[in-house]
Amino acid sequence: MTISIPFDNSYARLPDRFYAPVRPSAASAPQLLQLNRALAAELGLDAEALAAPEGIEILSGLRIAEGSQPIAMAYAGHQFAHFVPQLGDGRAILLGEVVDRSGRRRDLQLKGSGRTPFSRGGDGKAALGPVLREYVVSEAMAALGIPTTRALAAVTTGEQVVREDLLPGAAIVRVAASHIRVGTFQFFAAREDVEGLRLLADHVIARHYPAAAQAERPYRALLDGVIAAQADLIARWLLVGFIHGVMNTDNMAVSGETIDYGPCAFLDDYDPNKVFSSIDRMGRYAYGRQPEMALWNLTRLAETLLPLLAEDEVEAIADAEAALAAFAPAFERAYLGGLRRKLGLFTEKEDDLGLATALLRILAANRIDFTNFFRGLVDADQSGLRDMFEAPTVIDDWLAQWKARLADEPQDELARRTLMRAANPAFIPRNHRIEAMIRAAVDHGDFAPFEELLTVLARPYEDQPEYDGYRSPPAEQERVTATFCGT
Ligand code: AMP
Ligand code: MG
């Protein structure tokens, strides 16, 4: 069976300094762990052929498919506020781009593919655990309706990788609108390569913000577009309790998709200061700081665009500042809109934000499970919601206020419940489940928990009584306190 993948590689047509051609090298005896058949179909790829030996060789990088032009992309980035002028794909290789069934251009990238010219001291490999984590969490995010890179396939490479222990090597085939990052712009800005910047900006406009090409000032419209997309994305993260963990500028995609799942995690109990990432000792990327950090990153993006915004620097800075000023109101609009849906509100009233923040304060003060509280609120009188509190009376006043607010709504109960069920997932990828899944796979070669997590998390907004155990917060001894970057 020969596989035909209709590659059309627009990034590889950009000048040489945008990337380094490099062949994947991490796989010797690959085995397929998982193939996302629905996503393969969306991409117009033949899932049967991908699951056959030749397909597995392609998915692992052992064989280069016809039309693929493997490259490692160059980028820079601020890592925990410290600027590194050259990072780049050190363990990932862009295999190429395909135009999917709905006409959208998508990158196929192999992560865990071996050394590249950007690997610095690293081995270019990925261990099995982080590959499984990225697969599960990125697919869960997609099912939650949040813009994200996707997982097309996971393979073991047949190699061992050296971390604290020897671990099975693995790789993931990731699908993205593109892998262009804030750090990609920083790469050219740091080199004062204005021509490169302009080519990159034009590429991003054509690919992600085509309306900007028609705008009076296309580069300002591009900046506006990225700011709006990120404001919306970060609001969506907060609304499901997602913590990215490493919001460095090299881990922020200009497309507005969530990218680079490392030490990411979901809140169990609601705590705005929550940090899981073992490398984030200062709490820079805590749950509640994510809007502020996104704006920080977008400010770095705006700085790179200054030479394109206006010839006069003062004018360019004023322009960038005007664009950045739109972030906070856009974020607040998206966040408040989402909170209203979570509370079952169709209409907008002045004090809705007050109602929501009063609730969040109570949840934080009483360490209440964020996901289960909101799902329980759908049927507040039957769900045992009050029993989530040690002293149930602490929520009574708030519940009375909420019910009074609902009484003003024109919609009926059924509509309210439908709205709330679609805004409040029953199932999220809880950290203790992810950790248990990784332990089963790595320590015992048992992939049943991985498969089951994928099944449950594919329908996060539906009741799945047979999987009710997945709704439970961790028991004290199951609680995950630190997640690791997964390199
Ligand atoms: P991350 O913190 O995962 O976003 O990665 C930051 C930078 O380190 C990127 O340039 C990665 O390509 C690079 N990197 C991470 N892990 C490895 C590895 N095992 N080998 C080579 N480069 C790596
Ligand atoms: Mg990264």
Side-chain angles (χ1 to χ4, degrees), residues 32-64:
L32 186 63
L33 289 175
Q34 193 72 27
L35 177 65
N36 188 337
R37 287 168 186 271
L39 181 59
E42 200 179 304
L43 296 171
L45 306 181
D46 178 351
E48 288 320 309
L50 286 175
E54 186 191 325
I56 298 168
E57 287 181 9
I58 287 170
L59 292 170
S60 66
L62 191 56
R63 178 193 293 258
I64 303 302

PDB file of all heavy atoms in Angstrom, residues 32-64:
ATOM      1  N   LEU A  32       2.921   1.721  16.474  1.00  0.00           N
ATOM      2  CA  LEU A  32       1.816   2.666  16.587  1.00  0.00           C
ATOM      3  C   LEU A  32       1.111   2.468  17.923  1.00  0.00           C
ATOM      4  O   LEU A  32       0.709   1.365  18.266  1.00  0.00           O
ATOM      5  CB  LEU A  32       0.834   2.441  15.437  1.00  0.00           C
ATOM      6  CG  LEU A  32      -0.318   3.442  15.318  1.00  0.00           C
ATOM      7  CD1 LEU A  32       0.202   4.849  15.033  1.00  0.00           C
ATOM      8  CD2 LEU A  32      -1.285   2.999  14.217  1.00  0.00           C
ATOM      9  N   LEU A  33       0.963   3.557  18.684  1.00  0.00           N
ATOM     10  CA  LEU A  33       0.211   3.483  19.934  1.00  0.00           C
ATOM     11  C   LEU A  33      -1.220   3.912  19.713  1.00  0.00           C
ATOM     12  O   LEU A  33      -2.154   3.360  20.272  1.00  0.00           O
ATOM     13  CB  LEU A  33       0.827   4.424  20.973  1.00  0.00           C
ATOM     14  CG  LEU A  33       2.169   4.029  21.540  1.00  0.00           C
ATOM     15  CD1 LEU A  33       2.679   5.141  22.454  1.00  0.00           C
ATOM     16  CD2 LEU A  33       2.022   2.729  22.321  1.00  0.00           C
ATOM     17  N   GLN A  34      -1.375   4.950  18.922  1.00  0.00           N
ATOM     18  CA  GLN A  34      -2.705   5.516  18.738  1.00  0.00           C
ATOM     19  C   GLN A  34      -2.745   6.286  17.430  1.00  0.00           C
ATOM     20  O   GLN A  34      -1.801   6.987  17.088  1.00  0.00           O
ATOM     21  CB  GLN A  34      -3.006   6.471  19.896  1.00  0.00           C
ATOM     22  CG  GLN A  34      -4.451   6.894  20.009  1.00  0.00           C
ATOM     23  CD  GLN A  34      -5.335   5.770  20.503  1.00  0.00           C
ATOM     24  OE1 GLN A  34      -4.879   4.881  21.197  1.00  0.00           O
ATOM     25  NE2 GLN A  34      -6.597   5.784  20.115  1.00  0.00           N
ATOM     26  N   LEU A  35      -3.838   6.106  16.724  1.00  0.00           N
ATOM     27  CA  LEU A  35      -4.052   6.887  15.511  1.00  0.00           C
ATOM     28  C   LEU A  35      -5.420   7.540  15.635  1.00  0.00           C
ATOM     29  O   LEU A  35      -6.408   6.872  15.951  1.00  0.00           O
ATOM     30  CB  LEU A  35      -4.006   5.978  14.279  1.00  0.00           C
ATOM     31  CG  LEU A  35      -4.296   6.670  12.943  1.00  0.00           C
ATOM     32  CD1 LEU A  35      -3.208   7.685  12.614  1.00  0.00           C
ATOM     33  CD2 LEU A  35      -4.406   5.632  11.825  1.00  0.00           C
ATOM     34  N   ASN A  36      -5.470   8.817  15.392  1.00  0.00           N
ATOM     35  CA  ASN A  36      -6.718   9.579  15.500  1.00  0.00           C
ATOM     36  C   ASN A  36      -7.427   9.517  14.139  1.00  0.00           C
ATOM     37  O   ASN A  36      -7.176  10.339  13.257  1.00  0.00           O
ATOM     38  CB  ASN A  36      -6.359  11.011  15.902  1.00  0.00           C
ATOM     39  CG  ASN A  36      -7.569  11.839  16.237  1.00  0.00           C
ATOM     40  OD1 ASN A  36      -8.682  11.552  15.803  1.00  0.00           O
ATOM     41  ND2 ASN A  36      -7.349  12.888  17.014  1.00  0.00           N
ATOM     42  N   ARG A  37      -8.290   8.513  13.997  1.00  0.00           N
ATOM     43  CA  ARG A  37      -8.892   8.251  12.683  1.00  0.00           C
ATOM     44  C   ARG A  37      -9.826   9.372  12.253  1.00  0.00           C
ATOM     45  O   ARG A  37      -9.909   9.707  11.077  1.00  0.00           O
ATOM     46  CB  ARG A  37      -9.636   6.911  12.699  1.00  0.00           C
ATOM     47  CG  ARG A  37      -8.671   5.755  12.712  1.00  0.00           C
ATOM     48  CD  ARG A  37      -9.327   4.417  13.021  1.00  0.00           C
ATOM     49  NE  ARG A  37      -8.266   3.416  13.135  1.00  0.00           N
ATOM     50  CZ  ARG A  37      -7.794   2.718  12.121  1.00  0.00           C
ATOM     51  NH1 ARG A  37      -8.290   2.875  10.908  1.00  0.00           N
ATOM     52  NH2 ARG A  37      -6.811   1.857  12.293  1.00  0.00           N
ATOM     53  N   ALA A  38     -10.540   9.948  13.222  1.00  0.00           N
ATOM     54  CA  ALA A  38     -11.458  11.041  12.872  1.00  0.00           C
ATOM     55  C   ALA A  38     -10.664  12.236  12.335  1.00  0.00           C
ATOM     56  O   ALA A  38     -11.059  12.867  11.352  1.00  0.00           O
ATOM     57  CB  ALA A  38     -12.275  11.455  14.097  1.00  0.00           C
ATOM     58  N   LEU A  39      -9.535  12.514  12.983  1.00  0.00           N
ATOM     59  CA  LEU A  39      -8.712  13.640  12.530  1.00  0.00           C
ATOM     60  C   LEU A  39      -8.073  13.324  11.173  1.00  0.00           C
ATOM     61  O   LEU A  39      -7.996  14.191  10.300  1.00  0.00           O
ATOM     62  CB  LEU A  39      -7.639  13.963  13.581  1.00  0.00           C
ATOM     63  CG  LEU A  39      -6.714  15.136  13.262  1.00  0.00           C
ATOM     64  CD1 LEU A  39      -7.490  16.447  13.053  1.00  0.00           C
ATOM     65  CD2 LEU A  39      -5.674  15.323  14.375  1.00  0.00           C
ATOM     66  N   ALA A  40      -7.639  12.075  11.000  1.00  0.00           N
ATOM     67  CA  ALA A  40      -7.070  11.673   9.702  1.00  0.00           C
ATOM     68  C   ALA A  40      -8.093  11.931   8.595  1.00  0.00           C
ATOM     69  O   ALA A  40      -7.764  12.493   7.541  1.00  0.00           O
ATOM     70  CB  ALA A  40      -6.652  10.212   9.731  1.00  0.00           C
ATOM     71  N   ALA A  41      -9.340  11.569   8.858  1.00  0.00           N
ATOM     72  CA  ALA A  41     -10.396  11.772   7.852  1.00  0.00           C
ATOM     73  C   ALA A  41     -10.594  13.261   7.571  1.00  0.00           C
ATOM     74  O   ALA A  41     -10.725  13.678   6.420  1.00  0.00           O
ATOM     75  CB  ALA A  41     -11.700  11.139   8.332  1.00  0.00           C
ATOM     76  N   GLU A  42     -10.585  14.058   8.639  1.00  0.00           N
ATOM     77  CA  GLU A  42     -10.722  15.510   8.488  1.00  0.00           C
ATOM     78  C   GLU A  42      -9.614  16.072   7.585  1.00  0.00           C
ATOM     79  O   GLU A  42      -9.823  17.003   6.819  1.00  0.00           O
ATOM     80  CB  GLU A  42     -10.610  16.111   9.896  1.00  0.00           C
ATOM     81  CG  GLU A  42     -11.165  17.490  10.095  1.00  0.00           C
ATOM     82  CD  GLU A  42     -10.970  17.901  11.575  1.00  0.00           C
ATOM     83  OE1 GLU A  42     -11.439  17.174  12.484  1.00  0.00           O
ATOM     84  OE2 GLU A  42     -10.339  18.941  11.811  1.00  0.00           O
ATOM     85  N   LEU A  43      -8.442  15.460   7.696  1.00  0.00           N
ATOM     86  CA  LEU A  43      -7.289  15.932   6.917  1.00  0.00           C
ATOM     87  C   LEU A  43      -7.274  15.342   5.506  1.00  0.00           C
ATOM     88  O   LEU A  43      -6.397  15.662   4.706  1.00  0.00           O
ATOM     89  CB  LEU A  43      -5.982  15.554   7.630  1.00  0.00           C
ATOM     90  CG  LEU A  43      -5.749  16.207   8.995  1.00  0.00           C
ATOM     91  CD1 LEU A  43      -4.550  15.588   9.696  1.00  0.00           C
ATOM     92  CD2 LEU A  43      -5.560  17.711   8.857  1.00  0.00           C
ATOM     93  N   GLY A  44      -8.212  14.444   5.248  1.00  0.00           N
ATOM     94  CA  GLY A  44      -8.241  13.795   3.939  1.00  0.00           C
ATOM     95  C   GLY A  44      -7.181  12.704   3.799  1.00  0.00           C
ATOM     96  O   GLY A  44      -6.777  12.355   2.694  1.00  0.00           O
ATOM     97  N   LEU A  45      -6.734  12.152   4.936  1.00  0.00           N
ATOM     98  CA  LEU A  45      -5.714  11.109   4.894  1.00  0.00           C
ATOM     99  C   LEU A  45      -6.357   9.741   5.076  1.00  0.00           C
ATOM    100  O   LEU A  45      -7.391   9.609   5.729  1.00  0.00           O
ATOM    101  CB  LEU A  45      -4.669  11.336   5.997  1.00  0.00           C
ATOM    102  CG  LEU A  45      -3.998  12.711   6.018  1.00  0.00           C
ATOM    103  CD1 LEU A  45      -2.961  12.781   7.137  1.00  0.00           C
ATOM    104  CD2 LEU A  45      -3.350  13.027   4.665  1.00  0.00           C
ATOM    105  N   ASP A  46      -5.715   8.737   4.526  1.00  0.00           N
ATOM    106  CA  ASP A  46      -6.228   7.373   4.570  1.00  0.00           C
ATOM    107  C   ASP A  46      -5.744   6.698   5.862  1.00  0.00           C
ATOM    108  O   ASP A  46      -4.577   6.317   5.978  1.00  0.00           O
ATOM    109  CB  ASP A  46      -5.710   6.638   3.320  1.00  0.00           C
ATOM    110  CG  ASP A  46      -6.149   5.179   3.284  1.00  0.00           C
ATOM    111  OD1 ASP A  46      -6.711   4.689   4.291  1.00  0.00           O
ATOM    112  OD2 ASP A  46      -5.921   4.543   2.243  1.00  0.00           O
ATOM    113  N   ALA A  47      -6.654   6.573   6.814  1.00  0.00           N
ATOM    114  CA  ALA A  47      -6.283   6.042   8.132  1.00  0.00           C
ATOM    115  C   ALA A  47      -5.753   4.607   8.026  1.00  0.00           C
ATOM    116  O   ALA A  47      -4.800   4.241   8.720  1.00  0.00           O
ATOM    117  CB  ALA A  47      -7.467   6.114   9.088  1.00  0.00           C
ATOM    118  N   GLU A  48      -6.385   3.793   7.166  1.00  0.00           N
ATOM    119  CA  GLU A  48      -5.929   2.401   7.019  1.00  0.00           C
ATOM    120  C   GLU A  48      -4.464   2.367   6.598  1.00  0.00           C
ATOM    121  O   GLU A  48      -3.658   1.601   7.113  1.00  0.00           O
ATOM    122  CB  GLU A  48      -6.768   1.652   5.973  1.00  0.00           C
ATOM    123  CG  GLU A  48      -8.190   1.329   6.425  1.00  0.00           C
ATOM    124  CD  GLU A  48      -8.267   0.891   7.869  1.00  0.00           C
ATOM    125  OE1 GLU A  48      -7.502  -0.014   8.265  1.00  0.00           O
ATOM    126  OE2 GLU A  48      -9.069   1.466   8.624  1.00  0.00           O
ATOM    127  N   ALA A  49      -4.148   3.209   5.622  1.00  0.00           N
ATOM    128  CA  ALA A  49      -2.768   3.235   5.115  1.00  0.00           C
ATOM    129  C   ALA A  49      -1.801   3.742   6.183  1.00  0.00           C
ATOM    130  O   ALA A  49      -0.678   3.245   6.305  1.00  0.00           O
ATOM    131  CB  ALA A  49      -2.691   4.109   3.864  1.00  0.00           C
ATOM    132  N   LEU A  50      -2.250   4.707   6.989  1.00  0.00           N
ATOM    133  CA  LEU A  50      -1.365   5.227   8.044  1.00  0.00           C
ATOM    134  C   LEU A  50      -1.102   4.181   9.126  1.00  0.00           C
ATOM    135  O   LEU A  50      -0.039   4.173   9.741  1.00  0.00           O
ATOM    136  CB  LEU A  50      -1.964   6.486   8.687  1.00  0.00           C
ATOM    137  CG  LEU A  50      -1.914   7.756   7.853  1.00  0.00           C
ATOM    138  CD1 LEU A  50      -2.648   8.900   8.562  1.00  0.00           C
ATOM    139  CD2 LEU A  50      -0.473   8.179   7.545  1.00  0.00           C
ATOM    140  N   ALA A  51      -2.078   3.303   9.342  1.00  0.00           N
ATOM    141  CA  ALA A  51      -1.917   2.289  10.382  1.00  0.00           C
ATOM    142  C   ALA A  51      -1.125   1.075   9.891  1.00  0.00           C
ATOM    143  O   ALA A  51      -0.736   0.222  10.688  1.00  0.00           O
ATOM    144  CB  ALA A  51      -3.295   1.849  10.888  1.00  0.00           C
ATOM    145  N   ALA A  52      -0.889   0.995   8.582  1.00  0.00           N
ATOM    146  CA  ALA A  52      -0.100  -0.105   8.015  1.00  0.00           C
ATOM    147  C   ALA A  52       1.392   0.198   8.217  1.00  0.00           C
ATOM    148  O   ALA A  52       1.756   1.330   8.528  1.00  0.00           O
ATOM    149  CB  ALA A  52      -0.432  -0.249   6.533  1.00  0.00           C
ATOM    150  N   PRO A  53       2.263  -0.836   8.050  1.00  0.00           N
ATOM    151  CA  PRO A  53       3.695  -0.638   8.370  1.00  0.00           C
ATOM    152  C   PRO A  53       4.324   0.597   7.714  1.00  0.00           C
ATOM    153  O   PRO A  53       5.045   1.361   8.376  1.00  0.00           O
ATOM    154  CB  PRO A  53       4.335  -1.933   7.857  1.00  0.00           C
ATOM    155  CG  PRO A  53       3.246  -2.953   8.014  1.00  0.00           C
ATOM    156  CD  PRO A  53       1.963  -2.232   7.723  1.00  0.00           C
ATOM    157  N   GLU A  54       4.031   0.824   6.435  1.00  0.00           N
ATOM    158  CA  GLU A  54       4.640   1.982   5.775  1.00  0.00           C
ATOM    159  C   GLU A  54       4.141   3.290   6.411  1.00  0.00           C
ATOM    160  O   GLU A  54       4.908   4.248   6.593  1.00  0.00           O
ATOM    161  CB  GLU A  54       4.286   1.970   4.280  1.00  0.00           C
ATOM    162  CG  GLU A  54       5.000   3.051   3.504  1.00  0.00           C
ATOM    163  CD  GLU A  54       4.452   3.212   2.078  1.00  0.00           C
ATOM    164  OE1 GLU A  54       4.067   2.190   1.466  1.00  0.00           O
ATOM    165  OE2 GLU A  54       4.404   4.355   1.599  1.00  0.00           O
ATOM    166  N   GLY A  55       2.856   3.310   6.755  1.00  0.00           N
ATOM    167  CA  GLY A  55       2.283   4.503   7.397  1.00  0.00           C
ATOM    168  C   GLY A  55       2.934   4.773   8.736  1.00  0.00           C
ATOM    169  O   GLY A  55       3.230   5.922   9.079  1.00  0.00           O
ATOM    170  N   ILE A  56       3.179   3.706   9.501  1.00  0.00           N
ATOM    171  CA  ILE A  56       3.806   3.869  10.822  1.00  0.00           C
ATOM    172  C   ILE A  56       5.230   4.395  10.665  1.00  0.00           C
ATOM    173  O   ILE A  56       5.693   5.233  11.447  1.00  0.00           O
ATOM    174  CB  ILE A  56       3.770   2.538  11.609  1.00  0.00           C
ATOM    175  CG1 ILE A  56       2.308   2.134  11.843  1.00  0.00           C
ATOM    176  CG2 ILE A  56       4.524   2.660  12.921  1.00  0.00           C
ATOM    177  CD1 ILE A  56       2.124   0.722  12.351  1.00  0.00           C
ATOM    178  N   GLU A  57       5.905   3.941   9.616  1.00  0.00           N
ATOM    179  CA  GLU A  57       7.259   4.460   9.359  1.00  0.00           C
ATOM    180  C   GLU A  57       7.211   5.960   9.079  1.00  0.00           C
ATOM    181  O   GLU A  57       8.069   6.715   9.520  1.00  0.00           O
ATOM    182  CB  GLU A  57       7.901   3.713   8.180  1.00  0.00           C
ATOM    183  CG  GLU A  57       8.306   2.300   8.553  1.00  0.00           C
ATOM    184  CD  GLU A  57       8.974   1.544   7.413  1.00  0.00           C
ATOM    185  OE1 GLU A  57       9.282   2.158   6.358  1.00  0.00           O
ATOM    186  OE2 GLU A  57       9.172   0.334   7.578  1.00  0.00           O
ATOM    187  N   ILE A  58       6.175   6.362   8.347  1.00  0.00           N
ATOM    188  CA  ILE A  58       6.035   7.798   8.045  1.00  0.00           C
ATOM    189  C   ILE A  58       5.700   8.586   9.313  1.00  0.00           C
ATOM    190  O   ILE A  58       6.281   9.635   9.587  1.00  0.00           O
ATOM    191  CB  ILE A  58       4.970   8.008   6.953  1.00  0.00           C
ATOM    192  CG1 ILE A  58       5.535   7.548   5.603  1.00  0.00           C
ATOM    193  CG2 ILE A  58       4.509   9.468   6.889  1.00  0.00           C
ATOM    194  CD1 ILE A  58       4.530   7.483   4.483  1.00  0.00           C
ATOM    195  N   LEU A  59       4.761   8.051  10.088  1.00  0.00           N
ATOM    196  CA  LEU A  59       4.341   8.754  11.310  1.00  0.00           C
ATOM    197  C   LEU A  59       5.472   8.873  12.324  1.00  0.00           C
ATOM    198  O   LEU A  59       5.465   9.764  13.174  1.00  0.00           O
ATOM    199  CB  LEU A  59       3.147   8.038  11.948  1.00  0.00           C
ATOM    200  CG  LEU A  59       1.825   8.091  11.154  1.00  0.00           C
ATOM    201  CD1 LEU A  59       0.797   7.154  11.771  1.00  0.00           C
ATOM    202  CD2 LEU A  59       1.290   9.523  11.087  1.00  0.00           C
ATOM    203  N   SER A  60       6.433   7.982  12.260  1.00  0.00           N
ATOM    204  CA  SER A  60       7.537   8.006  13.220  1.00  0.00           C
ATOM    205  C   SER A  60       8.760   8.734  12.674  1.00  0.00           C
ATOM    206  O   SER A  60       9.737   8.936  13.389  1.00  0.00           O
ATOM    207  CB  SER A  60       7.943   6.579  13.578  1.00  0.00           C
ATOM    208  OG  SER A  60       8.477   5.940  12.426  1.00  0.00           O
ATOM    209  N   GLY A  61       8.729   9.080  11.404  1.00  0.00           N
ATOM    210  CA  GLY A  61       9.873   9.772  10.801  1.00  0.00           C
ATOM    211  C   GLY A  61      10.924   8.836  10.228  1.00  0.00           C
ATOM    212  O   GLY A  61      11.937   9.293   9.701  1.00  0.00           O
ATOM    213  N   LEU A  62      10.689   7.539  10.322  1.00  0.00           N
ATOM    214  CA  LEU A  62      11.663   6.587   9.775  1.00  0.00           C
ATOM    215  C   LEU A  62      11.682   6.653   8.248  1.00  0.00           C
ATOM    216  O   LEU A  62      12.695   6.405   7.614  1.00  0.00           O
ATOM    217  CB  LEU A  62      11.293   5.169  10.248  1.00  0.00           C
ATOM    218  CG  LEU A  62      12.298   4.060  10.019  1.00  0.00           C
ATOM    219  CD1 LEU A  62      13.649   4.399  10.646  1.00  0.00           C
ATOM    220  CD2 LEU A  62      11.768   2.753  10.631  1.00  0.00           C
ATOM    221  N   ARG A  63      10.542   6.980   7.678  1.00  0.00           N
ATOM    222  CA  ARG A  63      10.429   7.116   6.226  1.00  0.00           C
ATOM    223  C   ARG A  63       9.870   8.514   5.921  1.00  0.00           C
ATOM    224  O   ARG A  63       9.008   9.011   6.644  1.00  0.00           O
ATOM    225  CB  ARG A  63       9.445   6.054   5.714  1.00  0.00           C
ATOM    226  CG  ARG A  63       9.176   6.101   4.225  1.00  0.00           C
ATOM    227  CD  ARG A  63       7.964   5.241   3.899  1.00  0.00           C
ATOM    228  NE  ARG A  63       8.223   3.824   4.120  1.00  0.00           N
ATOM    229  CZ  ARG A  63       8.494   2.950   3.142  1.00  0.00           C
ATOM    230  NH1 ARG A  63       8.530   3.341   1.886  1.00  0.00           N
ATOM    231  NH2 ARG A  63       8.693   1.673   3.413  1.00  0.00           N
ATOM    232  N   ILE A  64      10.384   9.112   4.853  1.00  0.00           N
ATOM    233  CA  ILE A  64       9.890  10.427   4.449  1.00  0.00           C
ATOM    234  C   ILE A  64       8.864  10.233   3.335  1.00  0.00           C
ATOM    235  O   ILE A  64       9.172   9.653   2.291  1.00  0.00           O
ATOM    236  CB  ILE A  64      11.047  11.325   3.947  1.00  0.00           C
ATOM    237  CG1 ILE A  64      12.120  11.475   5.033  1.00  0.00           C
ATOM    238  CG2 ILE A  64      10.522  12.709   3.535  1.00  0.00           C
ATOM    239  CD1 ILE A  64      11.624  12.061   6.335  1.00  0.00           C
TER     240      ILE A  64
END
